[in-house]
C-alpha cells in the first residue's frame, strides 16, 4: 500500500496525478502547453518525455481558435495513436478560465499552473529571458514534473458570490479613498471642522465637533455650509433651526464648538478656496453613489448567500453576511478537500515550520503562499470574532497572554473559523455553544432581512431538525 507523504492539497493532487499517469501509461499521453492571452494565444504539443511534436503555433481567443486547437490536437493524437490529452494552462489574469472550461468539456485532462511555478522552471533552465516560446517550454516541463492542479474552476453560486464579494471589496476601497479626498479638501476649506488640539487643565486635548465625520449632519454641512464664514453667517440660532428643519440632531455642545472653531479658523477666505469647494461637492456626489452601490450589492450578496450551503456559518456570533459570504466564496467547493488544513494552506495562513536533525521544530510567520483574497478575509474574520464572539474572545485573550502578537492572534482565530466552517458546511450543522444568552433566531434576525430570515429557517434550520429527529 502506498502512502502520500504530504498531508495537504498539493500532496493529494500529486497522488491523483501519479495515479492518472500510472493507469494511462506515459507513452500514451499527449501533452499540450498553452500560454493564455486576451486576443492571440499560443500552444505547443509534445510527449511526456519532452519531445516536441508540434512547434509553437498561434490561435485566436475565440471559439474559432479553440476549434482549430482541437483539430491540431486530434491530428497528433491519431497520428501517434495516443490515448489521453493533458492540457497545461498558466493562470494568466482571467484569460485562462474559458480555456479551462472548454478543455474540461472536451474531455481533456487539464492542469492549471501558477505563474510562480513556470518562473521557477525557467530559473532551473538557467535562462533569465522571458518569451512566449520559453513560457510554453516551462509549462510543458512543469506538467511533466507533475506540478499544478487538476481542480475544476468555481461555478454556479460560489463563483457568483466570489465575484460579488470581491466587487464589494473594491467599492469599499474606493469609498475609503473618496473619504480621504474629502478630508483633504476640508483641510483647505475649514481645517478645524475635523477637530483641533486645545489646552484643558494644563493638558493638551483633541476636541472634535463630530464623533463621526461621515454621519448625516457632517455630510450635510460639508455640502451646503463648508466654509467657516458659512457657519458664522448661520450663527447659533441658524444652526439650531437648520438642525430641526433637516433633522440633523445637532447637540448644543456641537453648535458651540463649530462656532468657536469657525471664529478662530486658520483657513483662507472663501473666494480663495472656490476650487476646493467645487471638488468637494464632486467627491460628496461620488461618495453618495458608492454608498448606494455598496448597499445594493450587499442586498444582492445576502439574497444569494442565504440560498447556499455556506449560510449555516451565519449562526456563528461575529460572522456577518458580507464576511460570511466572502469566506464561503473564497473557500469554494469543499468536496475536493479531505480536511480543513488543506483550506488553510490554500489561504496561505499556515505557519512556516523548520525542523531537521531531530531538533525541536521552530514555527515562523505564515507562509503567504496561497490566495491573497482568501488570506485577507481569514484575517478579517479573526478580527471580527475576537471582538464579537464571546468564546473566541477568550481564545484571543489566551493567545495574547501567551505572547502572541495581535495580528498573529487574529490569523489563529481565522484559521479556527475555517476549521469550524469546514465542519459545519460538510455536516450541514449549525453553531453549537454553551453561551447562556445565545438565541439562534436573535442571531439570524440581526443579520438578515425578514424574508431571508424565513428562508434561512426553511433551508437550514428545518432540515437540521429533521436530521436530528
Amino acid at each position: 500500500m502506498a502512502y502520500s507523504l504530504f498531508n495537504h492539497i498539493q500532496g493529494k493532487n500529486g497522488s491523483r496525478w501519479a495515479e492518472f499517469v500510472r493507469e494511462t501509461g506515459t507513452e500514451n499521453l499527449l501533452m499540450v502547453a498553452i500560454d493564455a492571452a486576451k486576443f492571440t494565444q499560443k500552444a505547443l504539443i509534445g510527449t511526456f518525455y519532452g519531445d516536441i511534436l508540434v512547434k509553437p503555433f498561434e490561435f485566436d481567443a475565440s471559439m474559432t481558435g479553440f476549434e482549430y486547437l482541437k483539430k491540431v490536437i486530434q491530428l497528433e493524437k491519431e497520428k501517434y495513436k495516443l490515448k489521453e490529452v493533458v492540457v497545461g494552462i498558466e493562470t494568466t489574469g482571467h484569460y485562462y478560465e474559458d480555456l479551462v472550461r472548454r478543455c474540461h468539456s472536451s474531455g481533456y485532462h487539464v492542469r492549471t499552473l501558477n505563474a510562480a511555478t513556470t518562473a521557477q522552471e525557467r530559473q532551473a533552465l538557467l535562462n533569465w529571458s522571458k518569451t512566449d516560446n520559453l513560457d510554453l517550454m516551462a509549462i510543458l516541463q512543469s506538467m511533466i514534473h507533475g506540478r499544478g492542479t487538476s481542480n475544476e474552476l468555481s461555478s454556479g453560486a460560489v463563483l457568483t458570490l466570489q465575484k460579488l464579494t470581491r466587487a464589494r471589496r473594491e467599492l469599499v476601497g474606493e469609498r475609503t479613498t473618496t473619504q480621504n479626498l474629502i478630508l483633504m479638501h476640508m483641510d483647505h476649506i475649514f481645517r478645524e471642522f475635523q477637530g483641533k488640539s486645545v489646552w484643558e487643565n494644563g493638558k493638551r486635548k483633541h476636541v472634535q465637533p463630530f464623533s463621526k465625520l461621515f454621519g448625516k449632519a457632517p455630510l450635510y454641512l460639508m455640502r451646503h455650509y463648508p466654509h467657516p464664514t458659512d457657519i458664522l453667517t448661520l450663527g447659533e440660532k441658524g444652526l439650531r433651526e437648520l438642525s430641526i428643519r433637516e433633522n440633523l440632531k445637532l447637540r448644543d455642545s456641537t453648535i458651540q464648538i463649530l462656532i468657536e472653531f469657525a471664529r478662530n479658523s486658520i483657513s483662507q477666505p472663501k473666494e480663495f478656496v472656490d476650487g476646493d469647494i467645487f471638488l468637494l461637492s464632486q467627491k460628496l456626489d461620488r461618495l453618495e453613489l458608492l454608498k448606494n452601490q455598496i448597499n445594493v450589492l450587499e442586498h444582492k450578496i445576502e439574497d444569494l448567500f442565504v440560498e447556499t450551503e455556506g449560510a449555516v456559518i451565519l449562526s456563528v456570533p461575529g460572522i456577518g453576511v458580507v464576511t460570511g459570504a466572502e469566506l464561503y466564496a473564497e473557500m469554494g467547493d469543499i468536496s475536493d478537500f479531505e480536511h480543513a488544513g488543506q483550506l488553510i494552506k490554500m489561504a496561505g495562513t499556515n505557519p512556516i515550520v523548520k525542523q531537521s536533525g531531530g531538533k525541536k521544530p521552530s514555527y515562523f510567520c505564515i507562509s503567504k503562499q496561497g490566495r491573497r483574497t482568501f488570506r485577507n478575509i481569514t484575517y478579517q474574520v479573526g478580527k471580527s470574532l475576537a471582538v464579537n464572539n464571546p468564546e473566541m474572545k477568550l481564545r484571543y485573550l489566551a493567545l495574547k497572554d501567551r505572547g502572541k502578537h495581535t495580528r498573529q492572534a487574529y490569523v489563529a482565530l481565522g484559521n479556527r473559523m475555517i476549521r469550524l466552517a469546514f465542519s459545519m458546511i460538510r455536516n450541514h450543522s449549525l453553531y453549537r455553544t454553551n453561551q447562556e444568552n445565545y438565541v439562534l433566531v436573535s442571531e439570524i434576525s440581526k443579520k438578515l432581512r425578514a424574508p431571508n430570515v424565513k428562508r434561512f429557517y426553511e433551508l437550514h434550520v428545518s432540515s437540521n431538525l429533521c436530521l436530528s429527529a
Side-chain angles (χ1 to χ4, degrees):
M1 180 179 178
Y3 294 90
S4 174
L5 179 62
F6 299 109
N7 190 25
H8 51 63
I9 191 65
Q10 283 86 342
K12 186 177 180 182
N13 285 329
S15 299
R16 286 177 175 175
W17 171 249
E19 184 180 354
F20 170 76
V21 172
R22 185 165 51 249
E23 290 178 354
T24 308
T26 55
E27 70 282 359
N28 295 316
L29 295 176
L30 183 71
M31 313 292 284
V32 182
I34 299 177
D35 187 14
K38 185 169 185 176
F39 298 113
T40 304
Q41 305 175 125
K42 296 190 76 171
L44 177 149
I45 300 179
T47 68
F48 186 86
Y49 303 106
D51 300 320
I52 306 302
L53 303 180
V54 179
K55 292 181 179 181
F57 62 94
E58 295 181 343
F59 62 99
D60 63 274
S62 68
M63 199 61 201
T64 307
F66 184 71
E67 290 296 336
Y68 173 70
L69 173 68
K70 285 176 61 178
K71 182 179 178 181
V72 176
I73 290 174
Q74 188 60 31
L75 287 173
E76 296 302 311
K77 185 179 178 183
E78 293 175 354
K79 180 178 179 181
Y80 293 97
K81 297 182 175 57
L82 301 174
K83 294 180 181 179
E84 293 287 348
V85 177
V86 181
V87 179
I89 306 173
E90 188 180 61
T91 55
T92 307
H94 56 269
Y95 305 128
Y96 74 101
E97 294 177 357
D98 290 328
L99 268 176
V100 170
R101 293 188 180 96
R102 290 291 177 180
C103 288
H104 271 301
S105 62
S106 298
Y108 302 151
H109 185 94
V110 182
R111 304 285 291 179
T112 53
L113 299 125
N114 191 285
T117 301
T118 53
Q120 288 178 350
E121 195 63 47
R122 285 196 302 273
Q123 289 181 5
L125 296 173
L126 300 179
N127 194 328
W128 294 103
S129 301
K130 187 184 185 305
T131 65
D132 290 343
N133 289 351
L134 284 173
D135 284 344
L136 288 172
M137 287 299 300
I139 292 170
L140 180 61
Q141 289 297 322
S142 297
M143 283 195 293
I144 291 171
H145 295 149
R147 299 193 181 104
T149 175
S150 58
N151 295 343
E152 293 194 22
L153 299 176
S154 299
S155 59
V158 173
L159 178 61
T160 305
L161 267 180
Q162 194 176 88
K163 289 183 176 180
L164 293 177
T165 52
R166 289 181 180 181
R168 180 196 171 276
R169 183 175 283 267
E170 289 178 6
L171 288 178
V172 169
E174 289 182 33
R175 182 180 65 186
T176 302
T177 301
T178 303
Q179 288 175 338
N180 290 335
L181 290 172
I182 289 171
L183 297 181
M184 182 268 290
H185 289 303
M186 285 303 295
D187 280 337
H188 294 294
I189 301 167
F190 184 4
R191 175 174 293 189
E192 295 80 4
F193 189 83
Q194 299 176 51
K196 71 173 186 179
S197 295
V198 298
W199 286 98
E200 190 174 288
N201 298 325
K203 294 183 179 180
R204 188 175 294 278
K205 181 181 179 182
H206 185 69
V207 178
Q208 294 176 288
F210 305 98
S211 58
K212 293 182 179 179
L213 280 168
F214 294 98
K216 181 179 179 180
L219 285 173
Y220 185 88
L221 292 175
M222 282 191 284
R223 181 177 289 279
H224 300 284
Y225 305 95
H227 197 263
T229 56
D230 297 327
I231 300 297
L232 293 175
T233 302
L234 281 171
E236 186 175 333
K237 182 180 178 182
L239 283 170
R240 284 199 176 95
E241 291 175 352
L242 180 69
S243 177
I244 295 170
R245 186 174 71 247
E246 300 296 336
N247 193 27
L248 300 181
K249 298 180 180 178
L250 291 173
R251 296 178 180 177
D252 290 341
S253 59
T254 299
I255 293 173
Q256 294 295 333
I257 292 171
L258 276 174
I259 292 175
E260 181 187 347
F261 284 4
R263 188 179 294 118
N264 299 293
S265 177
I266 197 174
S267 299
Q268 299 183 78
K270 190 172 183 179
E271 59 269 21
F272 293 161
V273 292
D274 183 63
D276 281 293
I277 293 174
F278 174 77
L279 293 173
L280 173 65
S281 179
Q282 285 195 326
K283 299 301 185 297
L284 290 170
D285 289 341
R286 185 191 299 178
L287 180 63
E288 186 176 355
L289 174 63
L290 288 169
K291 284 183 175 179
N292 290 334
Q293 288 182 329
I294 291 171
N295 187 49
V296 171
L297 195 52
E298 288 178 348
H299 284 180
K300 179 75 173 176
I301 290 170
E302 179 186 325
D303 292 339
L304 181 59
F305 184 43
V306 76
E307 298 285 337
T308 67
E309 61 181 1
V312 292
I313 65 177
L314 288 175
S315 60
V316 180
I319 300 296
V321 173
V322 174
T323 52
E326 195 167 353
L327 178 64
Y328 172 68
E330 295 301 334
M331 287 172 62
D333 183 7
I334 66 169
S335 62
D336 196 49
F337 298 89
E338 292 179 345
H339 57 85
Q342 296 167 341
L343 283 167
I344 292 172
K345 188 170 181 65
M346 188 171 73
T349 53
N350 57 302
I352 297 173
V353 184
K354 293 186 178 181
Q355 184 271 332
S356 64
K359 295 181 180 179
K360 187 177 179 180
S362 300
Y363 295 86
F364 293 81
C365 57
I366 59 175
S367 69
K368 294 186 179 181
Q369 290 182 310
R371 298 180 189 168
R372 180 172 55 85
T373 51
F374 193 3
R375 188 160 57 255
N376 287 342
I377 188 58
T378 300
Y379 176 84
Q380 294 300 328
V381 163
K383 188 175 182 180
S384 177
L385 290 172
V387 176
N388 302 305
N389 187 302
E391 291 180 337
M392 293 293 190
K393 188 173 183 178
L394 292 176
R395 292 182 179 276
Y396 169 75
L397 294 174
L399 288 168
K400 293 287 288 181
D401 289 340
R402 286 165 49 190
K404 297 295 182 182
H405 190 275
T406 301
R407 293 185 177 182
Q408 291 177 314
Y410 288 160
V411 171
L413 291 183
N415 286 343
R416 184 166 183 81
M417 185 60 218
I418 290 176
R419 295 187 183 95
L420 181 60
F422 180 82
S423 175
M424 291 173 67
I425 295 170
R426 170 164 284 190
N427 301 314
H428 199 251
S429 60
L430 299 170
Y431 183 64
R432 297 175 183 175
T433 178
N434 294 323
Q435 297 175 41
E436 294 180 358
N437 59 345
Y438 177 84
V439 180
L440 178 62
V441 65
S442 300
E443 189 67 33
I444 299 303
S445 297
K446 67 184 181 183
K447 298 175 182 178
L448 299 174
R449 289 170 288 153
N452 285 331
V453 171
K454 181 181 178 181
R455 189 65 180 145
F456 179 90
Y457 267 78
E458 290 173 352
L459 291 173
H460 308 293
V461 180
S462 299
S463 57
N464 272 281
L465 292 174
C466 292
L467 287 172
S468 60

